[in-house]
Structures are given as C-alpha cells and as structure tokens.
C-alpha cells in the first residue's frame, strides 16, 4: 500500500476523480496534509465520510509519533520520535526568549563517523522521508506552543544525519515548510548544517538556496580534520573552499562555520591562524561550539584557550560567536543524539 504522503498531487487528483469525487477534494486533502499538518484521515472532517473511508482503504498514513520526552533544567526538550518501521530519531526544542528553535534530524543514524559525535558511532541506517522531517516540525510545534506559549520560530537541520546526503527529501521538506501551500515559514528562519559535502553544496548554490548554510569545519588543517572528520578524505578542504566561494558568488550569502573546540586537537594558536587563513577566501561567520561529552576520548578546551582563540580571530576582524551549550543534562546537545531504542 502506498503512503498518502508519498504520491504526487496528480496521483491524488486522479484517485479522487476515480473515487467519483470532485477534483477540489484533492486540494482539500493536500491542505490537510501540509497546511494543517494532519496526522490521520479521521481529522479530515470536511471531505466526507465516504472519501475518508476510501482513502483509508487505499493508502497508509505514516505519521511519526513522540515516544519519549526529556526536559532539561534549561527548558530544552528532547523528543524521541518513533517512525512507522519502529526506527527512532531525535529532535530538540530550544527556547530563548521569544524564540523557539527546533533542531530536526534528516537520517536515522549517520554515515559521517565524526570521531567526536555520538550519532556518528551509530552508523547509517536509512534516510528520512520528507514527511518524516515535516512531522518532527509539526509535532514539536504543538509542544512549543504548549510548553513555551510560542510556536517554533527557527529550524535548524542539525539533528541526526547528514542533510546533504539526503538532499532530495531535505529540499522537499524545506519546500513544504516554506511554501504558502505548506507551513509558510520564512526560509531565512531555516539553517542547514553540513559536514561539508561538496557536490551537495554545489547543488544548493545552483538552486539559489534561500535558507542559511552552516558548515561543520572544526579544523582548517587537512590532517587534523581528516583525523576527526573522515568525510575530509573524499571532500578535501581545498575543494570545499572552492565550492564555498562558488556558493557565495551564486547566492551572495555569508556561510557560517561551526567550530568545535577540542582540547589539544584544534584549539592552538596555530589552529586559529590556519582557520583565519582558510576564511580569507570569502566572508564567513564563525560559531565556536563547546564540546559536549560523548563516549569518545575528547575533552572540551580550557577556558583560557577558548579566550585566546577568540581573541586571535577577532584581531583578524572575523565575526565570532561563542555558542553556549544547551540541554547537556538530557544528552540533547549537539552530537549527543543517538537512537533510544531499536
Ligand atoms: N551532519 C551535519 C548536521 C548534524 S551535526 C553536520 O555535520 O553539520 C550538528 C553539529 O553538531 C555539527 O556541527 C557537529 O559537528 C556538531 N557536533 C557533533 N558532535 C558534537 C559534540 N559532541 N559536541 C558539540 N558539537 C558536536
């Protein structure tokens, strides 16, 4: 049986007409699916019981569900979602003032194997369908209103998985979140984060990608980066730099580099110099991320080294932010997301 959210608008239209209904019913169903974020046929209360029944007989409805929730002392909430095939993924809500940021996953597991990341240790299981990315938003949005009195204002594609290795579903989900037929959010409130998949970045550039792009750089030194991020082998730093230059030319946008500070690995004065030199090719913003403990030998940088690192970059007129870590007490912080059950 096909899933209702896995058919095209044309197929839906055809089904509706064959069921002896007026074509506008297809539009109503689409509205239920993507504008109202319905999770079942039963909710579609303006299409008639007969059509509801026929839909139920002909299609499955793969809706993710919240299976577990963990609330942090800092109000961050981590959700474990169960998918139709019983796989689990995680998403996180991070409130800050009036803002609520949702962090969504794009894959079950991840193939990147970054040495410092818990998801990386799971390995890759499967890609998420665009409706599964969409469901994370819908379900967490309801919770955001309930818990903080505000809906989600920002979405970051920074949960489990590598978005650019599931680019079709990721782009389709962004489309559904931003289009007027969907959730109508501004693309400027969305950020996609990649470990640096060159072909994917080129594709985004050619498409005139509207959301923000963040690249998890973590080191601008080829050997160091290769050691902590094996993706560097097939996506070398010089080629990455070239494609980011191209991205900037095409979109006019400034890319954000995420830089995780690891004690004794990438936090020396020399590392800062190499980073500054690497960034000379195009305008960037640096987000320094504090390392969140995982089952790995790494440790976060000493405060004194963090201070010096920032000072050096600022002396080179670079835009630097130090990101405070959120949700650490519930293992909801960057790099701590793993499947909770099989
Ligand atoms: N695959 C994508 C998105 C998921 S990871 C990417 O690599 O960008 C989201 C961010 O969390 C990345 O910058 C990642 O490098 C970072 N991260 C991973 N493990 C971490 C850890 N233990 N502490 C802090 N940040 C971590």
């Amino acid at each position: 049986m096909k899933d209702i959210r896995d058919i095209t608008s044309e197929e839906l239209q055809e089904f509706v007409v064959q069921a002896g209904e007026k074509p506008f019913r297809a539009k109503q169903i689409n509205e239920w699916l993507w504008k109202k974020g319905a999770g079942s046929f039963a909710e579609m209360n303006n299409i008639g019981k007969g059509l509801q029944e026929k839909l139920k007989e002909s299609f499955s409805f793969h809706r993710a569900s919240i299976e577990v929730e963990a609330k942090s002392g800092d109000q961050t909430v981590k959700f474990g979602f169960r998918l139709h095939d019983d796989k689990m993924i995680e998403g996180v809500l991070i409130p800050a003032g009036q803002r609520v940021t949702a962090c969504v996953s794009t894959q079950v597991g991840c193939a990147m194997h970054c040495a410092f990341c818990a998801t990386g240790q799971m390995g890759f299981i499967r890609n998420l369908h665009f409706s599964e990315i969409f469901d994370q938003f819908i379900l967490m949005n309801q919770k955001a209103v309930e818990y903080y009195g505000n809906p989600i204002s920002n979405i970051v594609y920074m949960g489990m998985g590598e978005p650019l290795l599931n680019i079709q579903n990721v782009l389709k989900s962004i489309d559904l979140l931003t289009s007027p037929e969907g959730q109508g959010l501004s693309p400027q409130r969305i950020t996609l984060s990649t470990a640096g998949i060159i072909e994917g970045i080129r594709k985004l550039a050619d498409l005139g990608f509207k959301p923000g792009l963040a690249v998890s750089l973590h080191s601008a030194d080829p050997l160091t980066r290769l050691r902590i991020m094996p993706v560097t082998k097939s996506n070398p730093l010089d080629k990455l730099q070239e494609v980011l230059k191209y991205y900037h030319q095409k979109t006019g946008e400034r890319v954000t580099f995420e830089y995780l500070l690891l004690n004794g690995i990438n936090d020396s004065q020399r590392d800062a110099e190499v980073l500054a030199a690497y960034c000379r090719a195009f305008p960037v913003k640096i987000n320094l991320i504090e390392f969140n403990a995982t089952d790995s030998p790494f440790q976060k940088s000493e405060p004194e080294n963090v201070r010096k690192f920032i000072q050096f970059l600022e002396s080179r007129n670079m835009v630097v932010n130090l990101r405070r870590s959120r949700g650490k007490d519930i293992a909801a912080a960057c790099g701590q997301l793993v499947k909770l059950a099989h």
Side-chain angles (χ1 to χ4, degrees):
M1 210 192 284
K2 270 203 161 187
D3 193 73
I4 187 67
R5 294 189 294 178
D6 202 19
I7 61 170
T8 63
S9 294
E10 292 74 36
E11 285 172 307
L12 179 60
Q13 178 104 0
E14 203 172 301
F15 173 84
V16 165
V17 172
Q18 288 205 338
E21 300 274 345
K22 294 257 160 50
F24 79 91
R25 295 288 186 204
K27 191 164 175 269
Q28 284 181 311
I29 296 167
N30 261 325
E31 253 176 41
W32 277 108
L33 295 178
W34 307 116
K35 208 170 191 153
K36 301 178 190 168
S40 68
F41 297 116
E43 285 167 61
M44 303 181 178
N45 60 19
N46 62 355
I47 63 167
K49 278 266 177 283
L51 183 54
Q52 267 182 28
E53 280 308 312
K54 281 182 197 155
L55 285 168
K56 219 181 278 174
E57 282 161 18
S58 311
F59 299 102
S60 57
F61 200 134
H62 287 164
R63 183 32 150 351
S65 58
I66 295 175
E67 170 114 349
V68 272
E69 270 185 57
K71 203 173 214 162
S72 156
D74 67 16
Q75 298 306 308
T76 296
V77 184
K78 177 165 86 167
F79 299 91
F81 298 97
R82 187 175 287 279
L83 308 175
H84 68 92
D85 59 355
D86 278 343
K87 300 278 186 292
M88 296 288 295
I89 49 162
E90 296 190 340
V92 186
L93 278 180
I94 310 143
Q98 294 287 91
R99 253 166 88 131
V100 183
T101 301
C103 175
V104 297
S105 292
T106 57
Q107 298 180 317
V108 185
C110 186
M112 297 288 89
H113 292 293
C114 298
F116 44 80
C117 177
T119 311
Q121 287 160 19
M122 275 174 73
F124 173 71
I125 298 175
R126 73 165 170 88
N127 278 333
L128 292 187
H129 187 261
F130 58 80
S131 61
E132 294 172 320
I133 302 174
F134 182 82
D135 279 351
Q136 294 172 65
F137 170 82
I138 294 292
L139 295 169
M140 287 198 284
N141 201 34
Q142 290 163 359
K143 293 288 180 177
V145 173
E146 185 182 325
Y147 294 160
Y148 318 122
N150 286 312
I152 291 168
S153 57
N154 298 72
I155 305 173
V156 293
Y157 282 67
M158 293 189 189
M160 301 163 79
E162 170 46 50
L164 295 186
L165 291 184
N166 185 15
I167 192 163
Q168 273 185 329
N169 284 301
V170 163
L171 290 177
K172 176 80 181 165
S173 71
I174 292 175
D175 204 38
L176 292 164
L177 292 171
T178 54
S179 79
E181 291 80 38
Q183 296 297 303
L185 299 168
S186 161
Q188 270 138 13
R189 296 182 171 269
I190 299 179
T191 302
L192 183 154
S193 176
T194 176
I197 306 295
I198 291 165
E199 275 321 301
I201 297 171
R202 197 185 315 281
K203 181 146 191 214
L204 296 184
D206 289 335
L207 286 170
F209 192 59
K210 293 271 174 2
L213 178 65
V215 175
S216 301
L217 193 67
H218 305 329
S219 172
D221 173 72
L223 282 180
T224 307
R225 193 171 195 263
L226 183 62
R227 182 173 155 210
I228 56 176
M229 297 182 73
V231 65
T232 309
K233 192 161 187 201
S234 46
N235 294 266
L237 278 172
D238 51 345
K239 296 264 162 44
L240 178 64
Q241 195 180 35
E242 261 169 46
V243 80
L244 289 173
K245 218 187 274 182
Y246 178 70
Y247 184 86
H248 174 67
Q249 281 162 4
K250 282 273 188 178
T251 63
E253 295 296 327
R254 176 202 299 248
V255 170
T256 299
F257 279 141
E258 289 152 294
Y259 198 104
L260 181 55
L261 286 163
L262 298 168
N263 189 25
I265 306 279
N266 63 356
D267 64 347
S268 70
Q269 173 84 7
R270 186 185 160 270
D271 289 307
E273 281 166 20
V274 176
L275 174 61
Y278 189 78
C279 293
R280 244 176 253 142
F282 38 77
V284 295
K285 191 170 91 184
I286 311 273
N287 274 345
L288 294 175
I289 315 176
E290 191 185 326
F291 173 65
N292 299 307
T294 56
D295 192 9
S296 72
F298 300 106
Q299 261 146 22
K300 67 177 180 181
S301 297
E302 302 291 339
E304 179 59 13
N305 291 337
V306 175
R307 200 184 56 74
K308 282 195 201 144
F309 203 87
I310 296 174
Q311 206 172 40
F312 178 82
L313 296 178
E314 284 180 342
S315 76
R316 296 292 165 100
N317 293 320
M318 294 171 68
V319 183
V320 190
N321 284 309
L322 181 62
R323 283 285 192 84
R324 251 182 344 117
S325 184
R326 302 279 305 266
K328 261 190 298 198
D329 54 341
I330 52 165
C334 295
Q336 295 185 320
L337 304 185
V338 279
K339 71 181 162 182
L340 302 164
H342 295 273

